[in-house]
């Protein structure tokens, strides 16, 4: 199924997790590479657009050790540890969210980014992003547009 269908997000973190996932929320988790190939072939034959498939047999988890960041003011957690999902899709969820830090607000995200030498992507509860490398993304979002 779609990533968004297979993850449970506490209300407090909804915007941050949606921002962290971006278009990946609509990617399709499949059992293996064969299923992914079949999905792509179907889309081609039907001329039904494009899709991204995440085979459980090939996607590897990524992670940051939360213990490294817990003492930093504004740190709320590692994105993959703030949500719930079934164990069978854990590698995919940890790949998508395991290396993303969630911060209280933009100021905290900026401070965390500086302390982490701009090597980690950080998303605030308001959906502002400190990208690895130092670029920043943010602004207003449309109301009532949560997934």
């Amino acid at each position: 199924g779609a990533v968004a269908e297979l993850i449970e997000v506490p209300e407090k973190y909804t915007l941050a997790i949606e921002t962290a996932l971006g278009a990946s929320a609509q990617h399709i988790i499949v059992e293996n590479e064969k299923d992914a190939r079949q999905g792509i072939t179907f889309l081609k034959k039907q001329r039904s657009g494009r899709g991204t498939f995440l085979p459980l047999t090939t996607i590897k988890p990524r992670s940051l050790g939360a213990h490294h960041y817990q003492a930093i003011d504004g740190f709320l957690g590692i994105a993959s540890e703030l949500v719930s999902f079934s164990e069978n899709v854990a590698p995919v969820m940890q790949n998508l969210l395991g290396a993303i830090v969630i911060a209280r607000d933009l100021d905290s995200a900026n401070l965390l980014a500086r302390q982490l030498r701009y090597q980690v992507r950080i998303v605030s509860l308001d959906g502002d992003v400190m990208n690895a490398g130092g670029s920043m993304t943010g602004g207003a979002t449309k109301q009532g547009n949560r997934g």
Side-chain angles (χ1 to χ4, degrees):
V3 169
E5 296 171 342
L6 300 173
I7 190 171
E8 292 182 36
V9 182
E11 176 107 18
K12 174 181 180 178
Y13 302 116
T14 301
L15 182 56
I17 298 299
E18 284 181 353
T19 302
L21 285 172
S24 298
Q26 298 307 313
H27 292 353
I28 306 298
I29 299 173
V30 294
E31 289 291 328
N32 54 50
E33 294 168 85
K34 179 183 175 201
D35 293 340
R37 286 192 305 271
Q38 288 177 336
I40 290 169
T41 300
F42 175 82
L43 291 174
K44 284 181 180 179
K45 285 182 180 177
Q46 298 297 314
R47 295 194 181 279
S48 296
R50 298 174 64 83
T52 299
F53 296 86
L54 307 170
L56 290 169
T57 54
T58 61
I59 303 295
K60 302 297 179 223
R62 298 186 305 162
S63 65
L64 299 172
H67 58 281
H68 294 299
Y69 312 106
Q70 289 174 340
I72 302 173
D73 187 44
F75 171 83
L76 298 177
I78 305 299
S80 63
E81 297 174 3
L82 299 174
V83 297
S84 301
F85 43 82
S86 72
E87 190 60 36
N88 67 317
V89 298
V92 169
M93 297 304 183
Q94 290 168 346
N95 177 277
L96 297 174
L97 298 171
I100 298 174
V101 170
I102 304 299
R104 184 179 50 237
D105 52 32
L106 182 57
D107 289 338
S108 298
N110 199 229
L111 176 65
L112 280 161
R114 215 174 302 123
Q115 291 178 338
L116 300 172
R117 293 187 224 124
Y118 303 96
Q119 296 177 343
V120 176
R121 187 168 183 226
I122 303 166
V123 180
S124 74
L125 291 178
D126 291 333
D128 299 313
V129 181
M130 291 295 307
N131 294 296
S135 66
M136 300 170 69
T137 305
T141 58
K142 294 179 181 177
Q143 294 296 324
N145 212 15
R146 295 197 172 172

